[in-house]
Amino acid sequence: LKIYISITKHHSKEVSAWHNVGFCLYKLKIFDEAIKYYSAGLNISPNDVDMWFEKALCYENIGMLEKAVECYDNALQIYPKSSNIWTNKGVALSLLGQYEEALKCYDEALKYDKTNYLIWFNKGCALYRLYLYKEAIECYDNALNIEQQDDKIWFNRGLLLKALGKYKEAAESFDKAILLNKQDYLAIYNKGIALSHMGRSKEAIYCYNEALKIFPNDANILHNKGKTLAKTGYHEDALFCYNKAIEASPNNYKIWYDRGLSLMAVKRYQE
């Protein structure tokens, strides 16, 4: 880094030096400074697509997403057939909540590369946010045809199947996610919800217990464990779960409501 900085001082028109300083600073996560060097390099060589792309990554890392999109646009004016740039622009737009615009980017990326599973995955995520669940599942399936070892795809697919009421398929997707990441308590927890909907209460409670070993004070897990216990008639055990859940999330009215139902079931009306 010191050598490259020295070159910029003595040979100020040497574009590669400005680029290399920016890249080193980017790798060191000194993003604000990296942007300055990329900007200086781009003043000399405004058609350097790599600098526009890396400058965009720096802006993303400091949360300046609109600036990142501007940089991606500049890069795309130079190299419009880059699936990587289109994908990253789509991710930035998704983070801005502009999911329809993000989808256009992913579709452009797929024109040039249908074999990158991350494009399909990110497109699926955008469709998920737009509540287009069936279309999103198709994208996740396309991603899984290419890459089956990414637990995030299996997990997201499971969430969508659960939302569509396809609980058996959802549980199978969560199983795949858990095999790849045994510490994914959310996959274990959501598998429990799917099993509970299928009437497999003992298996669901086992899942909730396993999830609680990893994240013992999660209000949602405690709440759903309580609901499953109450559904099977174990109201005192359910109340224990509801009380623990309320400790973690005292303003969650749904937990208070379900606690009230269990108190009524055991005839503790005053409470």
Side-chain angles (χ1 to χ4, degrees), residues 246-260:
I246 286 166
E247 285 177 21
S249 182
N251 296 320
N252 188 326
Y253 74 92
K254 291 180 180 178
I255 307 173
W256 285 102
Y257 177 80
D258 287 326
R259 182 176 182 269

Side-chain angles (χ1 to χ4, degrees), residues 6 14-16 23 28 34-35 41 67 71 154 167 176 182 204 265 271:
S6 176
E14 183 60 51
V15 176
S16 62
F23 185 74
L28 291 167
I35 288 166
K67 288 284 188 182
C71 289
W154 290 109
Y167 301 117
K176 294 280 191 180
K182 290 180 170 57
E271 292 178 68

Side-chain angles (χ1 to χ4, degrees), residues 126-269:
L127 289 163
Y128 183 179
R129 292 291 188 175
L130 292 167
Y131 303 100
L132 298 168
Y133 293 159
K134 291 180 181 178
E135 293 90 336
I137 290 170
E138 288 177 13
C139 287
Y140 291 142
D141 286 342
N142 285 330
L144 289 167
N145 286 335
I146 302 163
E147 174 58 68
Q148 297 193 354
Q149 301 302 308
D150 190 325
D151 61 286
K152 295 185 294 296
I153 309 172
W154 290 109
F155 175 70
N156 280 24
R157 183 175 181 271
L159 290 177
L160 291 172
L161 289 164
K162 179 166 70 75
L164 291 170
K166 297 182 178 182
Y167 301 117
K168 184 175 183 294
E169 293 174 62
E172 290 169 357
S173 265
F174 292 133
D175 273 335
K176 294 280 191 180
I178 294 161
L179 278 173
L180 294 165
N181 182 3
K182 290 180 170 57
Q183 294 300 303
D184 187 349
Y185 77 96
L186 287 173
I188 301 168
Y189 160 60
N190 278 284
K191 181 187 173 185
I193 294 174
L195 290 167
S196 182
H197 279 292
M198 294 161 65
R200 293 160 62 178
S201 298
K202 286 184 180 179
E203 293 170 81
I205 289 166
Y206 174 81
C207 287
Y208 297 140
N209 288 337
E210 290 297 302
L212 288 166
K213 287 178 185 177
I214 302 166
F215 204 151
N217 296 313
D218 187 281
N220 290 323
I221 303 172
L222 288 162
H223 183 198
N224 277 282
K225 181 184 175 184
K227 286 170 69 174
T228 303
L229 287 163
K231 191 164 63 176
T232 52
Y234 293 97
H235 290 287
E236 292 292 350
D237 291 333
L239 285 167
F240 176 81
C241 290
Y242 293 144
N243 289 339
K244 294 285 287 182
I246 286 166
E247 285 177 21
S249 182
N251 296 320
N252 188 326
Y253 74 92
K254 291 180 180 178
I255 307 173
W256 285 102
Y257 177 80
D258 287 326
R259 182 176 182 269
L261 293 177
S262 280
L263 286 166
M264 287 177 65
V266 296
K267 298 181 180 179
R268 289 160 62 180
Y269 300 119

Side-chain angles (χ1 to χ4, degrees), residues 53 57 60 72 76 81-94 101-113 116-123:
F53 182 73
L57 295 176
E60 275 194 48
Y72 289 134
L76 287 165
K81 294 184 178 181
S82 170
S83 62
N84 199 26
I85 301 171
W86 280 112
T87 301
N88 279 56
K89 182 185 174 185
V91 171
L93 288 166
S94 286
E101 291 302 310
L103 282 174
K104 294 175 186 176
C105 291
Y106 299 135
D107 285 336
E108 285 294 321
L110 288 166
K111 287 180 184 178
Y112 308 112
D113 185 1
N116 185 339
Y117 82 95
L118 288 172
I119 305 174
W120 290 109
F121 173 70
N122 283 302
K123 183 179 178 182

